[in-house]
């Protein structure tokens, strides 16, 4: 007797889709690696190519001439990402939890208040004055962490997940003598692991890729994250490439 294997078409379609997505993500990364080991003259003559015509490690030599700058940028970015993600997840869960409780008197006004901030903001100038003049966080790591600490969209996602948790579990814990903090940290947070993992990924990406708030609030080179460092390098390269001196030098060559 032979066993015939049936093909599950939906699984094949889903797996094929994610294979294509992974390929599309890997191709730009491979191109960046190939460009990083290609000589400048080859890039000017032939453009970006996956297989370098002329190998060169000059870009790495220039990058590591002053490794302390690069290492410091990585250190600031990693520290801000780790601390910011942990604090943001904790505050997001603590904000969404009372909004999901039907026995909380102000759950509806609080939900409307959070949603309202998605539609309107105070503006850049009042926000800058708040961070620099009232909170005195200019040139500190707090100016990189606090702006992304709470996101209304993340709070509403967390609230939607907490709404699905059975309220009988909370009532049973109260009957056993558990307080609100113990219920939250011992019951609610462990049950919210899928939502916390998803939001943690989004928050970590936001912190890792952020350079705008560093551009606004950081003037001290000690607290410059990696992203702002790269933005400054690209700006200087673009300025030098488009300057009249560079054009004159290229004509002489």
């Amino acid at each position: 007797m032979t066993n015939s294997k049936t093909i599950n078409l939906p699984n094949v379609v889903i797996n094929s889709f994610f294979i294509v997505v992974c390929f599309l993500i890997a191709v730009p990364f491979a191109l960046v690696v190939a460009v990083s080991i290609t000589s400048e003259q080859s890039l000017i003559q032939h453009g970006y190519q996956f297989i370098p015509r002329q190998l060169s490690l000059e870009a790495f030599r220039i990058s590591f001439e002053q490794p302390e700058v690069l290492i410091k940028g990585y250190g600031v970015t990693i520290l801000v990402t780790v601390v910011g993600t942990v604090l943001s997840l904790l505050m997001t869960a603590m904000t969404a939890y009372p909004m999901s409780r039907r026995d909380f008197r102000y759950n509806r006004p609080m939900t409307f208040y959070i949603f309202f901030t998605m539609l309107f903001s105070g503006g850049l100038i009042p926000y800058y004055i708040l961070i620099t003049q009232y909170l005195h966080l200019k040139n500190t790591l707090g100016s990189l962490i606090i702006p992304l600490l709470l996101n209304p969209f993340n709070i509403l996602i967390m609230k939607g997940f907490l709404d699905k948790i059975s309220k009988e579990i909370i009532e049973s814990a109260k009957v056993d003598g558990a307080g609100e903090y113990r219920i939250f940290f011992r019951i609610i947070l462990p049950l919210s692991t899928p939502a916390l993992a998803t939001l943690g990924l989004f928050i970590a990406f936001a912190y890792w890729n952020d350079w705008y708030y560093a551009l606004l609030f950081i003037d001290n080179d000690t607290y410059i994250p990696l992203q702002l460092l790269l933005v400054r390098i690209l700006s200087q390269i673009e300025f030098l490439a488009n300057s009249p001196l560079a054009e004159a030098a290229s004509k002489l060559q």
Side-chain angles (χ1 to χ4, degrees):
M1 182 180 233
T2 60
N3 294 327
S4 60
K5 295 183 179 179
T6 59
I7 299 176
N8 193 339
L9 185 59
N11 288 339
V12 172
V13 173
I14 293 174
N15 292 333
S16 301
F17 172 76
F18 280 108
I19 289 174
V20 173
V21 170
C22 293
F23 177 77
L24 294 177
I25 294 174
V27 165
F29 180 77
L31 181 61
V32 170
V33 175
V35 169
S36 67
I37 58 176
T38 305
S39 65
E40 184 177 0
Q41 291 297 328
S42 178
L43 291 175
I44 295 174
Q45 294 177 2
H46 307 288
Y48 294 163
Q49 294 180 338
F50 286 98
I51 300 177
R53 291 175 178 264
Q54 184 178 358
L55 294 177
S56 174
L57 298 178
E58 185 67 16
F60 291 95
R61 186 190 66 80
I62 296 174
S63 299
F64 288 103
E65 278 185 350
Q66 295 180 339
E68 64 276 0
V69 177
L70 193 62
I71 294 173
K72 189 181 297 181
Y74 266 108
V76 172
T77 299
I78 293 172
L79 179 63
V80 169
T81 301
V82 173
V83 176
T85 301
V86 173
L87 292 179
S88 181
L89 284 176
L90 180 61
M91 295 195 66
T92 299
M94 294 182 70
T95 305
Y97 175 60
M99 294 167 54
S100 66
R101 292 280 297 269
R102 298 190 184 96
D103 54 347
F104 179 54
R105 180 183 300 179
Y106 302 105
N107 62 344
R108 290 183 180 273
M110 190 174 177
T111 303
F112 175 77
Y113 174 77
I114 297 297
F115 175 75
F116 185 80
T117 58
M118 294 179 62
L119 305 178
F120 302 97
S121 64
L124 179 60
I125 295 177
Y127 190 73
Y128 182 83
I129 294 174
L130 173 66
I131 295 295
T132 58
Q133 301 298 323
Y134 290 93
L135 299 180
H136 303 287
L137 294 176
K138 188 175 178 62
N139 289 322
T140 63
L141 293 179
S143 62
L144 303 179
I145 296 175
I146 291 179
L148 298 175
L149 203 57
L150 280 177
N151 187 294
F153 182 71
N154 294 339
I155 294 174
L156 294 179
I157 290 179
M158 192 69 190
K159 175 186 177 300
F161 183 86
L162 294 178
D163 284 337
K164 299 178 181 180
I165 295 179
S166 176
K167 299 303 181 287
E168 285 74 12
I169 299 177
I170 300 175
E171 297 298 330
S172 299
K174 286 184 176 181
V175 171
D176 293 337
E180 292 293 344
Y181 287 103
R182 189 173 184 181
I183 293 173
F184 177 75
F185 286 104
R186 299 293 297 273
I187 298 177
I188 300 300
L189 284 185
L191 292 176
S192 305
T193 302
L196 293 175
T198 303
L199 292 179
L201 185 64
F202 293 155
I203 295 170
F205 280 160
Y207 274 111
W208 183 268
N209 294 323
D210 177 63
W211 60 270
Y212 180 70
Y213 290 111
L215 181 65
L216 288 178
F217 303 124
I218 300 297
D219 295 330
N220 190 345
D221 293 340
T222 305
Y223 302 112
I224 292 180
L226 179 66
Q227 288 71 24
L228 181 59
L229 182 64
L230 295 178
V231 169
R232 289 183 176 181
I233 292 174
L234 291 176
S235 299
Q236 292 176 0
I237 293 174
E238 184 177 357
F239 172 76
L240 293 175
N242 297 327
S243 64
L245 294 177
E247 294 179 0
S250 63
K251 290 179 180 180
L252 292 176
Q253 292 177 354

